[in-house]
Amino acid sequence: SLQADEAAFAELARQHQFSMSEQDGVFSGPGWDLLSERAAAAQQVLLGEDHFTNEMPRLMSAIAGIGRFDHFYIEVDPFSTRIIERSIREMEPAQRREFRRAYGDLYSFYALEPEYALLEQLVESGASLLGSDQVVMYADRLIFSDLAERTENEQARQIYRHAAQQSQQRLERFLQNPEKPDFASLYFMTPEFTADLERLSALQLSDEEQAIVEAMRRSVDIYQTQSHRKRVQLIKHQLMADYPRWIESRTLYKYGANHLARGESLLTVQDIGALVAEIAEAAYQESLHVMIIGESGSQGSPFRGF
């Protein structure tokens, strides 16, 4: 009966409940002992989180200290991820602070200080950053500003600069209305932005630029159709593009809780957690999947004043 099943489930939960505590970033207790033991034995360690909570970067920081990770996979598009990693690795502290002042609000989850400090920790430990996600609707300026400095096509440079300028102006207006945010007003979501992508597609561009234009086109479509299936498909496609790098390495993943289930996710799709679990098993590896759901408290926002 349903009542008997519920009672059996509750008893199993009680038998497998282990508490842990945290003080100033130091975790302890039987729950932490179990988690750290399992994490140390796994090549692929996947933590699904409640986004924008301060406890997550502290927990991730502690787990990152369990052995050495070769890669840190984050829920950010691969192009922004490479730019952020390059800024951490190559810029002097003063230059990096200025870069963050100009573009840090476009770092998605890592716009928040504790999250950004986690990126610095992983990069400084020797891990490389890998990213898989759609281009966030306000991150186009970060990518186009970077391309404007590196493209060899002068027509493309002008389009990149124009789009970056329009994106910044639209975002500044968007941020002035935190009570009723109008996402459709962001430049990324306008027909003008789509026209910019079409003009870029007609030009002679590098392979990287072509890939970015196509990724932005797919990202616009994901937002317009609100298709979770298309978004997960893109994330898995990008993950497989990096397959030769992470399959032979020890990798730490930080995504939303729904993405990292071993089988079908709570949103009824086979997400990257299922993909990594199957590939790790086929490679005779261990994968650890942890879902973290906040019971109480509040969450932050990537937007100033929201």
Side-chain angles (χ1 to χ4, degrees):
S1 69
L2 178 61
Q3 187 174 12
D5 289 344
E6 290 176 345
F9 180 81
E11 179 58 29
L12 284 170
R14 279 192 291 271
Q15 292 175 12
H16 294 87
Q17 178 176 293
F18 303 92
S19 64
M20 69 179 188
S21 60
E22 179 256 347
Q23 181 67 39
D24 298 327
V26 177
F27 290 81
S28 60
W32 173 250
D33 293 340
L34 178 63
L35 180 60
S36 56
E37 179 183 342
R38 294 285 301 279
Q43 285 83 11
Q44 312 295 329
V45 180
L46 301 86
L47 271 75
E49 66 175 8
D50 251 0
H51 290 312
F52 300 115
T53 55
N54 279 322
E55 291 83 359
M56 276 308 305
R58 295 203 294 269
L59 179 61
M60 294 295 296
S61 176
I63 289 178
I66 302 173
R68 180 185 182 278
F69 287 95
D70 301 291
H71 307 295
F72 183 36
Y73 240 122
I74 60 177
E75 195 176 341
V76 177
D77 74 84
F79 316 107
S80 295
T81 299
R82 285 199 288 269
I83 295 169
I84 295 169
E85 180 181 24
R86 195 166 67 239
S87 72
I88 295 174
R89 290 192 187 281
E90 299 178 4
M91 291 183 180
E92 296 296 328
Q95 185 184 12
R96 191 190 309 173
R97 285 193 297 272
E98 181 61 22
F99 190 81
R100 283 191 67 205
R101 186 195 65 77
Y103 300 108
D105 288 350
L106 313 180
Y107 287 5
S108 189
F109 308 110
Y110 300 93
L112 282 71
E113 185 62 40
E115 301 278 2
Y116 181 77
L118 177 65
L119 290 184
E120 289 185 313
Q121 174 191 340
L122 266 297
V123 172
E124 289 167 2
S125 75
S128 66
L129 300 184
L130 298 175
S132 61
D133 201 358
Q134 69 206 56
V135 178
V136 176
M137 64 177 75
Y138 51 85
D140 50 321
R141 176 164 61 92
L142 174 65
I143 297 171
F144 279 163
S145 296
D146 178 69
L147 288 180
E149 297 297 321
R150 299 190 294 112
T151 186
E152 296 182 0
N153 188 305
E154 189 58 36
Q155 287 180 275
R157 192 187 323 279
Q158 297 307 314
I159 296 173
Y160 293 146
R161 287 175 174 168
H162 166 77
Q165 181 184 51
Q166 290 298 311
S167 178
Q168 182 172 14
Q169 292 174 356
R170 297 291 188 102
L171 179 60
E172 288 173 353
R173 289 200 294 269
F174 170 87
L175 292 173
Q176 293 171 8
N177 191 16
E179 299 302 322
K180 295 182 179 180
D182 180 13
F183 290 98
S185 68
L186 293 171
Y187 190 63
F188 195 86
M189 301 301 296
T190 64
E192 291 84 358
F193 181 81
T194 299
D196 285 339
L197 296 182
E198 292 302 319
R199 283 194 289 272
L200 288 168
S201 296
L203 301 176
Q204 286 291 114
L205 302 176
S206 68
D207 290 345
E208 179 191 19
E209 290 171 273
Q210 292 174 14
I212 288 173
V213 170
E214 178 60 24
M216 288 195 174
R217 184 182 290 110
R218 288 183 181 274
S219 299
V220 170
D221 179 62
I222 289 168
Y223 280 117
Q224 290 177 341
T225 61
Q226 289 295 292
S227 173
H228 182 65
R229 183 192 66 81
K230 288 181 180 179
R231 182 185 176 213
V232 171
Q233 183 180 31
L234 176 64
I235 290 174
K236 290 192 291 188
H237 177 81
Q238 293 167 340
L239 192 81
M240 291 309 299
D242 291 328
Y243 171 79
R245 298 183 64 183
W246 60 264
I247 188 54
E248 298 295 337
S249 307
R250 192 158 185 260
T251 304
L252 181 63
Y253 303 73
K254 180 174 177 287
Y255 286 73
N258 283 317
H259 290 290
L260 300 185
R262 284 185 178 273
E264 187 177 77
S265 78
L266 295 177
L267 297 179
T268 67
V269 297
Q270 297 285 327
D271 214 311
I272 59 170
L275 182 66
V276 171
E278 290 295 323
I279 291 176
E281 182 174 350
Y284 300 102
Q285 294 182 356
E286 291 289 333
S287 64
L288 174 64
H289 304 245
V290 182
M291 176 181 282
I292 300 170
I293 302 296
E295 182 183 32
S296 62
S298 60
Q299 291 174 294
S301 166
F303 301 115
R304 298 188 306 274
F306 281 47

